[in-house]
Amino acid sequence: ETGVTQTPRHLVMGMTNKKSLKCEQHLGHNAMYWYKQSAKKPLELMFVYNFKEQTENNSVPSRFSPECPNSSHLFLHLHTLQPEDSALYLCASSFRQGPKTLSYEQYFGPGTRLTVT
Amino acid sequence: AQSVAQPEDQVNVAEGNPLTVKCTYSVSGNPYLFWYVQYPNRGLQFLLKYITGDNLVKGSYGFEAEFNKSQTSFHLKKPSALVSDSALYFCAVRDMNRDDKIIFGKGTRLHILP
């Protein structure tokens, strides 16, 4: 899984902690995504970045804050989370030929398993 | 609104038998369809896609999918199942109104019995 990497793979944090998830893609892609995968629920798109610009915020609570410093790196900053935020957080990337064109299929990282206590 | 349905939560198949994982979709306009697989404690892996052209699409690990426009289906198939094919499979469709949003089905767990 050298295409899209995520760190850490596992994270346990208290409700008052601040932590960050990191994603890095080595595929030359220019669009990056955060998804939340909870048990028995469909995959939820959280944020989309195209050419480093945020183009989608899918009604995500402000306790989740994304950052995309360049087209290869994506962060998800976490603070004052709730126990229901415990889930697998997946990063994905894809390629699009231009800002107004469709992007191709997405490639996923292995995920960060987050547990909020 | 675009949507995708996977009617089976779980599919059990004996090793060596053909397998089918079902998917139906609803879109306005032409569909862009995908299949992904997820192994335990891993992210989703892209298997194959249909955009246009031949209705039978070949993908990774010997999988293929058949696009059927009249039935709005995109079933995943493999002629001979392996135990290692046991995983969670997701069908997905691109939302053409929001071009970077891919809508995923809820997933079908495939068990290949030795």
Side-chain angles (χ1 to χ4, degrees), chain A residues 48 52 61 63 75 111:
Chain A
V48 179
K52 300 186 295 177
R63 58 185 183 270
F75 296 90

Side-chain angles (χ1 to χ4, degrees), chain A residues 74-89:
Chain A
L74 184 66
F75 296 90
L76 188 63
H77 304 298
L78 316 171
H79 65 97
T80 59
L81 295 191
Q82 305 298 311
E84 60 264 29
D85 297 324
S86 299
L88 182 67
Y89 288 84

